[in-house]
Amino acid sequence: MAPRYAPSLRSRLAPFLLFLQIGFIVIYAFCTEIENNVQKDRTTFSNFYPEFQDVNVMVILGFGFLCTFLVRYGFSGTGFNLLVAVMATQLAIILNGIESWYYRGKIRLDLKSLVVAEMCASSALIAIGTVVGKTNPVHLILIALLEVSGFVLNQWLLQTLLKVRLLNSIMLLHIFGALFGLTLTWILYRKGSEQQFEKETFDRKTGLFSMLGAVFLWMFWPSFNAILVDDRIPGRKLGAVCNTYLALAVSAVTAAAVSVLTSPKGKLNPIHMQSCILAGGVAVGVSISAVHQPWQAMTIGFTAAVVSTIGFRYLKIHMLLAFQCHDTCAVLSTYGLPGLLGWLAHLILQLIDSDDHRMAIRFAVFHISALLITISLSLLTGIITGLLLKWNFWRPPQDNKCFDDQAFWEFPHLVVRK
């Protein structure tokens, strides 16, 4: 049984959280202000707020419930997701507003800045999926803060050096988060992971809650992909919503079919239906600015689901055995591979639409450079974070306490009375 007071929570988590939160309050007190312009970039509160709520639901409910599939990690899956999301969002608002603070003396807050910050936090939540159950809350907060810092730096480099638009730079969050997480879980590898931890299992009840999270993500993903699309061009935002929905629909059908085909008993795998149905939304999101026809989105969704489902079936175990990457939530198959596929689709579609060969070559060079910068920075920040977390000062949970809520949460009905 877990100790009544887990040392990592009493002596490390509480002071760490209070220090960070007080620091954020001080920064917000002196460096931020609410945007006074009611109609900024031709979007008003009334038509932007519903999309903001959609993204909020995805980040809090979608990613939170998606991590509840582990049989004894439901409280931690949802509770730590909320904790990490709100801390990462607060930091992302500050980091994204540094330029505004430098030139205007204040960080301007509006719904768009909140949305961008939550999307940055989503990248951290994706990365954390690789180490779910094997870390304590202090680890998770550190991972989120360092990952968001690296991702914001990556955005700034792409927008400054390569003049990449905000939409295209932030949609690389899937690739950045997945590669960051894989590097992290490789460095934090635990011996004996090949034999699966005792509590690294799922049952019907936890699987149902996890499926609920996947449904939330599936339903609101069109808003996630379309919210930053420039609506000054008629039909562009509507096209992004329609294309994302069609890609998600195709990926759900395809994931079900491939799951049955790859199953030894010819049955649906519930984990495939929870993760791989999202592959189309990930892939078309990365390529959203280049997808203009429904059939293009559907083709991308079909291919992404095939790659994701096959990767989930065969690649996860090979990554564990060959590279010692214990990817708890199969982030590589759910986000990494579909993200890379979306990047490739963006390149191909842009080259096809270009009539000027010189401009096409120029775009290809910049597009490839953006990917290389993203990969390099995600791997570098992942290595730095992993080496920092290997320090025993953070007191990682013992193997027999991995994937167990009791190590971190109070359950009065389980208390032993003397």
Side-chain angles (χ1 to χ4, degrees), residues 189-303:
Y189 177 78
R190 291 171 178 261
K191 293 181 180 180
S193 298
E194 300 88 349
Q195 281 77 39
Q196 193 176 35
F197 289 89
E198 177 187 358
K199 299 159 188 172
E200 193 182 357
T201 58
F202 73 97
D203 60 13
R204 293 179 63 182
K205 183 183 295 185
T206 58
L208 183 60
F209 276 106
S210 183
M211 190 64 198
L212 180 64
V215 170
F216 273 121
L217 289 173
W218 195 95
M219 289 173 59
F220 293 109
W221 211 288
S223 295
F224 190 84
N225 284 351
I227 192 167
L228 295 180
V229 172
D230 188 359
D231 60 352
R232 289 175 293 185
I233 301 176
R236 183 63 62 86
K237 188 179 284 286
L238 175 62
V241 171
C242 293
N243 289 332
T244 302
Y245 177 84
L246 290 172
L248 286 166
V250 171
S251 65
V253 175
T254 307
V258 177
S259 178
V260 172
L261 290 174
T262 57
S263 171
K265 297 182 180 180
K267 295 183 178 181
L268 285 169
N269 186 316
I271 300 296
H272 290 172
M273 296 305 294
Q274 291 168 12
S275 301
C276 302
I277 62 173
L278 305 173
V282 173
V284 83
V286 179
S287 57
I288 194 68
S289 60
V291 178
H292 303 302
Q293 299 296 330
W295 69 267
Q296 295 172 345
M298 297 172 77
T299 303
I300 293 172
F302 178 88
T303 310

Side-chain angles (χ1 to χ4, degrees), residues 87-97 116-118 120-121 148 152:
M87 293 299 290
T89 300
Q90 290 179 76
L91 177 63
I93 291 173
I94 296 172
L95 296 178
N96 287 326
V116 172
E118 283 204 311
C120 293
V148 166
V152 172

Side-chain angles (χ1 to χ4, degrees), residues 166-188:
L166 172 64
L167 174 64
N168 294 334
S169 65
I170 202 168
M171 280 303 173
L172 292 174
L173 65 92
H174 309 289
I175 299 174
F176 191 97
L179 295 180
F180 178 98
L182 287 174
T183 307
L184 189 64
T185 192
W186 171 63
I187 294 177
L188 299 180

Side-chain angles (χ1 to χ4, degrees), residues 58-134:
M58 285 184 62
V59 172
I60 305 302
L61 287 180
F63 284 110
F65 279 106
L66 193 64
C67 292
T68 60
F69 67 95
L70 295 164
V71 68
R72 296 186 64 177
Y73 204 71
F75 281 90
S76 300
T78 54
F80 294 159
N81 178 84
L82 173 62
L83 185 63
V84 166
V86 295
M87 293 299 290
T89 300
Q90 290 179 76
L91 177 63
I93 291 173
I94 296 172
L95 296 178
N96 287 326
I98 288 178
E99 185 175 0
S100 173
W101 172 80
Y102 181 79
Y103 288 107
R104 302 179 182 179
K106 290 288 185 179
I107 297 173
R108 302 293 178 88
L109 297 182
D110 56 14
L111 285 180
K112 184 175 181 180
S113 66
L114 291 180
V115 166
V116 172
E118 283 204 311
M119 296 177 84
C120 293
S122 300
S123 181
L125 296 177
I126 290 171
I128 284 172
T130 61
V131 293
V132 161
K134 300 171 291 183

